[in-house]
Amino acid sequence: MAVTDEAIEKIKGMIVSGALRPGDRLPKESELAADLGLSRNSLREAVRALSLIRILDVRQGDGTYVTSLDPQLLLEALSFVVDFHRDDTVLEFLAVRRILEPAATAMAASRISEQQLGALTNQLDKLGNDPSVEELVACDLEFHRGIVQSSGNSVLCSLLDGLSGPTTRARIWRGLTQEDAVSRTLHEHRAILAALRDRDAEAAKSWATVHIASVEQWLRSTL
């Protein structure tokens, strides 16, 4: 194992074991290196690597701290990684979204508040019946993010947030090239919202599946 990898594993072990907890400040570099049997250089490289993936927070002049380890913070790295996707993998991202998002939508049916339902309704009303493709796609992202947040599962929300990027361009392509894409999307959004308002988890899940599958089906036919 490379010395930097070994250093990363040792710091990870301290966090997983509870020796270092969220918000804790790491001991001084010289002390920690000696305690872990590492060189200061390998420890420094490990700290740099762990700060990039939001495990550690290096504060100049103050020290190095364990972050909150909140799922949303840790999964920010996912968004960075998926930005490197190739066009031929978009269908795979959509397939994953088709598995996760309907489940999140079903969860939201029993948990979404009247205030959240009102916000989603206002969002669709504000969009109107004849939005531009760009307006529709922007609303689509916010609409589904609001629903997934209402599921109460922060990990699921962060995962879907990270996966939404690669499919955005596909949704724009569809809006520009498929004749009824805008009206169909608006209809599906309203159907999902109606199912949520009725607290009907199965209907909400079904409409969310139809909504994602329609983009997937269109993309598969154009590739």
Side-chain angles (χ1 to χ4, degrees):
M1 184 183 294
V3 290
T4 301
D5 291 340
E6 181 185 2
I8 289 171
E9 284 299 317
K10 288 187 174 182
I11 297 173
K12 174 185 172 184
M14 293 180 71
I15 296 172
V16 171
S17 69
L20 285 173
R21 303 182 65 80
D24 282 355
R25 181 178 176 176
L26 270 64
K28 290 182 179 179
E29 185 182 89
S30 57
E31 295 174 8
L32 186 58
D35 288 345
L36 297 179
L38 301 167
S39 70
R40 293 178 69 171
N41 189 55
S42 62
L43 177 61
R44 202 170 293 131
E45 290 298 321
V47 167
R48 185 176 294 116
L50 290 169
S51 68
L52 287 173
I53 57 173
R54 313 304 294 273
I55 302 294
L56 298 178
D57 178 19
V58 180
R59 304 176 190 173
Q60 294 298 326
D62 186 14
T64 299
Y65 293 78
V66 180
T67 67
S68 65
L69 302 181
D70 182 80
Q72 189 168 2
L73 181 70
L74 299 181
L75 287 168
E76 280 182 7
L78 176 64
S79 298
F80 179 79
V81 172
V82 300
D83 281 341
F84 291 95
H85 76 282
R86 304 186 312 274
D87 285 347
D88 59 356
T89 63
V90 174
L91 277 170
E92 295 181 16
F93 283 103
L94 277 168
V96 174
R97 188 177 164 219
R98 179 163 44 85
I99 294 168
L100 296 178
E101 194 162 303
T105 305
M107 290 168 64
S110 62
R111 301 180 182 184
I112 193 167
S113 68
E114 290 300 324
Q115 184 179 3
Q116 289 166 322
L117 284 169
L120 292 173
T121 302
N122 290 338
Q123 196 175 40
L124 293 185
D125 289 345
K126 184 178 178 181
L127 189 64
N129 294 319
D130 191 28
S132 69
V133 172
E134 291 78 8
E135 288 172 335
L136 179 64
V137 171
C139 177
D140 186 71
L141 290 169
E142 288 304 313
F143 181 78
H144 292 290
R145 183 179 288 118
I147 292 171
V148 175
Q149 286 174 342
S150 300
S151 74
N153 188 311
S154 60
V155 174
L156 195 52
C157 188
S158 298
L159 280 171
L160 284 165
D161 242 11
L163 291 170
S164 65
T167 63
T168 300
R169 185 163 52 173
R171 280 175 274 177
I172 291 175
W173 287 345
R174 180 192 179 211
L176 292 172
T177 60
Q178 190 176 34
E179 186 176 346
D180 63 343
V182 172
S183 59
R184 184 185 298 184
T185 299
L186 291 171
H187 170 70
E188 290 163 356
H189 278 183
R190 293 188 182 108
I192 292 169
L193 183 55
L196 290 173
R197 194 177 288 112
D198 291 340
R199 310 292 175 179
D200 189 334
E202 283 304 311
K205 181 178 181 179
S206 296
W207 275 111
T209 302
V210 166
H211 182 57
I212 299 165
S214 64
V215 180
E216 197 175 353
Q217 183 181 37
W218 167 82
L219 184 60
R220 187 174 284 109
S221 70
T222 62
L223 292 177

